[in-house]
Amino acid sequence: MGTVNGESEPGGTSRTRRRAARPRQGASMADVAQLAGVSSQTVSRVSNGFPGVTEDTRAQVLAAMRELGYRPNSAARALRRGEFRTLGVITFSLSTMGNIRTLEAIATSAAEHGYAVTLLPVAVPTQDEVNGAFSRLGELAVDAVIVIMEIHLLDAATVSLPPGVQVVVADSDAGDRYTVVDTDQAGGARDAVRHLLDLGHDTVWHLAGPEGSFAAQRRANAWRTTLTEAGRTPPPLVRGDWSAESGYRAGLRLADEPDCTAVFTANDQMALGLLRALHERGRRVPDDVSVIGFDDIPESASFLPPLTTIHQDFAEVGRLCVEGVLSKMREGGAEHGTTLVPTRLVRRESTARRPG
Amino acid sequence: MGTVNGESEPGGTSRTRRRAARPRQGASMADVAQLAGVSSQTVSRVSNGFPGVTEDTRAQVLAAMRELGYRPNSAARALRRGEFRTLGVITFSLSTMGNIRTLEAIATSAAEHGYAVTLLPVAVPTQDEVNGAFSRLGELAVDAVIVIMEIHLLDAATVSLPPGVQVVVADSDAGDRYTVVDTDQAGGARDAVRHLLDLGHDTVWHLAGPEGSFAAQRRANAWRTTLTEAGRTPPPLVRGDWSAESGYRAGLRLADEPDCTAVFTANDQMALGLLRALHERGRRVPDDVSVIGFDDIPESASFLPPLTTIHQDFAEVGRLCVEGVLSKMREGGAEHGTTLVPTRLVRRESTARRPG
DNA sequence: CCAGTGGATGTTTACGTAAACATTGCCTAG
DNA sequence: CTAGGCAATGTTTACGTAAACATCCACTGG
């Protein structure tokens, strides 16, 4: 390590020593300016694409930049401009496909706006962990934050944000306290139930997600409400845990319900398990039982039969999160509210008119 | 825009105007220092937990920090220290489970080392896009880069990194040109084949991944080599595209091969489809046909029957990427090489002794 | 009793950039 | 022909932090 410096050489100027101490520094504006024979301000103008520079001068500066391999120092930029051009994303693990797709869309959309994305993973969804993520945030180089997290975790956290840092929350329904972007869970569930009622089914069974999940709860509520409003009696709720395996177990039970001709499953994975159980029990889909899912994961088009489902536009959610947080930054807006992203019914082959 | 300034007011000092122009700035060290009645250097010492500060003074400074809601400005810090404490991750979309789990482990591990993670998504895996990501990187506030990408995409790219930025590549086999951390694909495939041979099967069929994938290629090569070394004749290769649907189609074909008693599938999704096809054709697993997968996705334990598979430790890959890149930064090492993360055979119920 | 020592704290400075202001020189209108 | 104006470029300064160096003071040992 020490051998690199060559400190034994006595004549080293302080400049040389500094360089040696921080070898990763590249060329600065001053270096480029000197080589190009202009002032550093002109280099800055070229670097930022500002007007007021002759074509000749610009070319000369660009040449010098290339020769020195100049890269603007983003720390100095951020310090000078007072902003980092970076968005922080707090998310509880990347375990669900929806979160990931949302994150991906956020990253892409942020890049389009010239923003980078910094990830703040929360390993365990405890209150402490979430609090920790938010306080670490204070020291982090971000201008705004997007939280992808169910609201009950956020609720528990003592959220204290650095001044001037805006927040948008995805996957939540706390529109009264935060700016929220979310899929229209209720609308999607309503469309699913209505689709089955329109096909002539007397009622619709529901295979719900776990109790802890607000998304599951909202879908279940909308299912119940829609049935009640249509004058039907909601059958007993069947609960899974989002997994295909839990859908399979639920399916074995539902296969034994003779008057069960239509099932709305709270996600596609559980629908997959359900399809398998019904198939094993000799209940044909869609001839005997219609099944509709939720999410429209890539595989659902390849299920047997291809699954009718409710498409969620995660990409749009991510995009709106970014736009929302950027506009809040510009306008300093503090007002809350929820932006709902509509779902779309995707008709495939797992639903049909009521038998008989 | 101009209306915000209130420029008509004549008496505004330049200081006031500056504040108004950048309202998001919080308290600085100077502010804390003034309130605490100490110098800003002392605040710096407290902020960084340096010794040489009386307990009294420290308490006073901390109180002042709390009162003003002081947060260190990370841009100024980065500028001063010459490093960002941030790792960049370049990845081609977050479409595969493996990449995501690796990314998650990277983020967690980086956080443990006091580093943040910035995401550089490459929307389309074209040469231009990859090049673009690498050049954007130059302006980005990162000290080092981890690339999660198959090597042929990286190969095509004209990779020019800013000086001093170290790189580690995951999911690749270019150990001669980069520092690589990867799952031991060949070892895993070999274990899978040997497991089936040990169970008495004459030979092992292989349902491979798509031709474009190096991971698929390495698994297929190891499959062939292991069979040949054991003196068996490799059956014709069957190719899928990683999807369950392609596994199902392949399964329908394999079900008609009477001497196919053992199949090594290049991933668990295809194994799922294969299981379904075999079930439909009345070929019992594992009684008639043994099936082994690769990856050990969470669902595979719930397949019917639970899938014997090769566990990939994505978390370990991510962790090693971070450690590797950090140690390269410390030591300025330029030497390349590949670190292999071992796989593990997970015995469940889809494999059994050869029938008859 | 005083020089010496070392811990606590203060002062100066530079990091690289870009805003604000200053200067130069050429072109045009009167 | 010259004042005025504008485009191109240069100079100064501050952003917030932390390293390096300077200072102060209390205590110790001879």
Side-chain angles (χ1 to χ4, degrees):
Chain A
M1 235 219 250
T3 55
V4 175
N5 294 355
E7 204 70 62
S8 60
E9 199 82 32
T13 66
S14 79
R15 171 156 186 83
T16 309
R17 277 222 300 286
R18 255 193 293 106
R19 280 246 168 257
R22 236 175 260 165
R24 72 177 37 139
Q25 301 283 13
S28 75
M29 275 193 167
D31 300 324
V32 175
Q34 192 177 9
L35 179 61
V38 298
S39 76
S40 67
Q41 184 56 40
T42 300
V43 177
S44 170
R45 283 190 262 259
V46 171
S47 176
N48 291 301
F50 285 173
V53 180
T54 314
E55 209 42 61
D56 281 0
T57 312
R58 179 181 306 277
Q60 216 161 349
V61 170
L62 288 174
M65 281 180 173
R66 224 169 300 120
E67 181 171 342
L68 295 175
Y70 169 76
R71 309 280 182 176
N73 178 315
S74 54
R77 260 192 181 172
L79 176 58
R80 187 66 252 251
R81 303 204 269 219
E83 59 175 24
F84 302 100
R85 301 277 168 94
T86 297
L87 265 32
V89 176
I90 297 185
T91 168
F92 159 48
S93 122
L94 299 173
S95 45
T96 72
M97 184 55 75
N99 285 3
I100 291 154
R101 300 260 286 284
T102 305
L103 171 63
E104 194 173 5
I106 287 171
T108 306
S109 180
E112 277 165 14
H113 288 86
Y115 276 74
V117 167
T118 289
L119 221 53
L120 291 230
V122 177
V124 193
T126 64
Q127 186 169 339
D128 280 357
E129 278 276 341
V130 178
N131 285 345
F134 270 93
S135 64
R136 254 177 290 148
L137 199 65
E139 315 197 0
L140 221 53
V142 297
D143 302 309
V145 177
I146 296 170
V147 178
I148 310 178
M149 197 178 292
E150 293 213 337
I151 187 62
H152 61 286
L153 289 172
L154 200 52
D155 270 348
T158 318
V159 174
S160 76
L161 284 167
V165 172
Q166 299 282 1
V167 191
V168 166
V169 181
D171 212 20
S172 162
D173 58 354
D176 50 333
R177 281 159 299 159
Y178 299 95
T179 299
V180 171
V181 176
D182 198 10
T183 297
D184 184 6
Q185 311 276 355
R190 194 187 55 231
D191 290 350
V193 173
R194 285 206 187 137
H195 171 65
L196 292 170
L197 293 181
D198 288 348
L199 286 171
H201 296 273
D202 291 330
T203 190
V204 176
W205 292 63
H206 182 44
L207 173 47
E211 283 187 275
S213 161
F214 271 68
Q217 192 175 307
R218 271 177 289 166
R219 289 171 203 178
N221 286 345
W223 159 77
R224 203 185 322 271
T225 306
T226 308
L227 280 183
T228 308
E229 280 173 359
R232 316 301 169 91
T233 311
L237 187 90
V238 183
R239 215 176 265 289
D241 61 7
W242 295 134
S243 74
E245 175 62 21
S246 72
Y248 177 78
R249 286 192 304 265
L252 293 179
R253 265 186 291 155
L254 287 176
D256 293 337
E257 298 281 349
D259 57 338
C260 172
T261 66
V263 183
F264 163 42
T265 307
N267 77 344
D268 286 358
Q269 274 90 358
M270 293 195 295
L272 174 63
L274 180 73
L275 290 178
R276 193 148 55 100
L278 293 175
H279 181 261
E280 281 185 10
R281 292 303 176 96
R283 300 267 274 162
R284 290 165 305 164
V285 176
D287 305 334
D288 301 329
V289 183
S290 286
V291 175
I292 187 167
F294 205 107
D295 280 356
D296 193 26
I297 62 175
E299 293 82 20
S300 61
S302 305
F303 287 180
L304 200 68
L307 187 71
T308 296
T309 188
I310 302 294
H311 179 84
Q312 275 203 74
D313 198 344
F314 296 109
E316 180 70 2
V317 171
R319 205 180 59 75
L320 287 174
C321 283
V322 172
E323 312 245 308
V325 86
L326 290 183
S327 86
K328 277 183 84 174
M329 283 168 58
R330 270 193 303 274
E331 291 149 29
E335 69 295 343
H336 304 320
T338 300
T339 305
L340 285 184
V341 176
T343 57
R344 185 163 45 83
L345 174 66
V346 179
R347 282 166 212 244
R348 296 204 183 96
E349 295 161 37
S350 66
T351 52
R353 296 209 69 78
R354 180 176 68 120
Chain B
M1 236 226 251
T3 55
V4 175
N5 294 355
E7 205 68 63
S8 61
E9 198 83 32
T13 66
S14 80
R15 171 153 186 82
T16 310
R17 276 221 300 287
R18 255 193 294 107
R19 278 249 168 256
R22 235 175 264 164
R24 73 175 38 141
Q25 300 284 13
S28 75
M29 276 193 166
D31 300 323
V32 176
Q34 192 176 9
L35 180 61
V38 298
S39 77
S40 68
Q41 184 55 43
T42 299
V43 177
S44 170
R45 283 190 263 258
V46 171
S47 176
N48 291 302
F50 284 173
V53 181
T54 314
E55 209 41 62
D56 281 1
T57 313
R58 179 182 306 278
Q60 217 161 348
V61 170
L62 287 174
M65 282 180 173
R66 223 170 299 120
E67 180 171 343
L68 295 175
Y70 169 75
R71 308 281 182 176
N73 179 316
S74 53
R77 263 195 179 169
L79 177 58
R80 187 67 254 254
R81 303 204 269 220
E83 59 175 24
F84 302 100
R85 302 275 167 99
T86 297
L87 264 32
V89 175
I90 298 186
T91 167
F92 158 48
S93 123
L94 299 173
S95 44
T96 72
M97 183 55 76
N99 285 3
I100 291 153
R101 299 259 288 285
T102 305
L103 171 63
E104 194 173 5
I106 288 172
T108 306
S109 180
E112 278 165 13
H113 288 86
Y115 276 73
V117 167
T118 290
L119 221 53
L120 288 234
V122 177
V124 193
T126 62
Q127 187 169 340
D128 281 358
E129 280 276 342
V130 178
N131 285 343
F134 271 94
S135 65
R136 255 176 288 147
L137 199 66
E139 315 198 359
L140 221 54
V142 296
D143 302 309
V145 176
I146 296 170
V147 178
I148 311 178
M149 195 178 294
E150 293 212 337
I151 187 62
H152 60 287
L153 290 171
L154 199 54
D155 270 347
T158 317
V159 175
S160 76
L161 285 165
V165 172
Q166 298 282 1
V167 191
V168 166
V169 181
D171 212 23
S172 162
D173 60 352
D176 49 333
R177 280 158 299 161
Y178 299 96
T179 299
V180 171
V181 175
D182 198 9
T183 298
D184 183 6
Q185 311 276 355
R190 194 188 53 232
D191 290 349
V193 173
R194 286 206 186 138
H195 171 65
L196 293 170
L197 293 180
D198 287 350
L199 287 170
H201 296 273
D202 291 330
T203 191
V204 176
W205 292 62
H206 182 46
L207 173 47
E211 282 187 275
S213 160
F214 271 68
Q217 191 176 308
R218 271 176 289 168
R219 290 171 202 178
N221 286 345
W223 159 76
R224 203 185 321 270
T225 306
T226 308
L227 281 183
T228 308
E229 282 174 359
R232 317 301 169 93
T233 311
L237 187 90
V238 183
R239 216 176 263 289
D241 62 7
W242 297 132
S243 74
E245 174 62 20
S246 72
Y248 177 76
R249 286 192 305 267
L252 293 180
R253 264 187 290 155
L254 288 175
D256 293 336
E257 299 281 349
D259 58 338
C260 172
T261 66
V263 183
F264 163 43
T265 308
N267 77 345
D268 286 357
Q269 275 90 359
M270 291 196 296
L272 175 62
L274 179 72
L275 290 177
R276 191 149 54 100
L278 293 175
H279 180 262
E280 281 185 10
R281 291 303 176 94
R283 301 266 273 162
R284 292 165 304 163
V285 176
D287 306 335
D288 301 328
V289 183
S290 285
V291 175
I292 187 166
F294 205 107
D295 280 356
D296 194 25
I297 62 175
E299 292 82 21
S300 60
S302 306
F303 286 179
L304 200 69
L307 187 70
T308 296
T309 189
I310 302 293
H311 179 84
Q312 275 202 72
D313 197 345
F314 295 110
E316 180 71 1
V317 171
R319 206 180 60 73
L320 288 175
C321 283
V322 172
E323 311 246 308
V325 86
L326 290 183
S327 84
K328 278 182 84 175
M329 283 167 59
R330 271 192 303 272
E331 291 149 27
E335 68 296 343
H336 305 319
T338 300
T339 305
L340 286 184
V341 175
T343 57
R344 185 164 45 82
L345 173 66
V346 179
R347 281 165 214 247
R348 297 204 182 94
E349 296 160 37
S350 66
T351 52
R353 296 209 68 79
R354 180 175 68 122

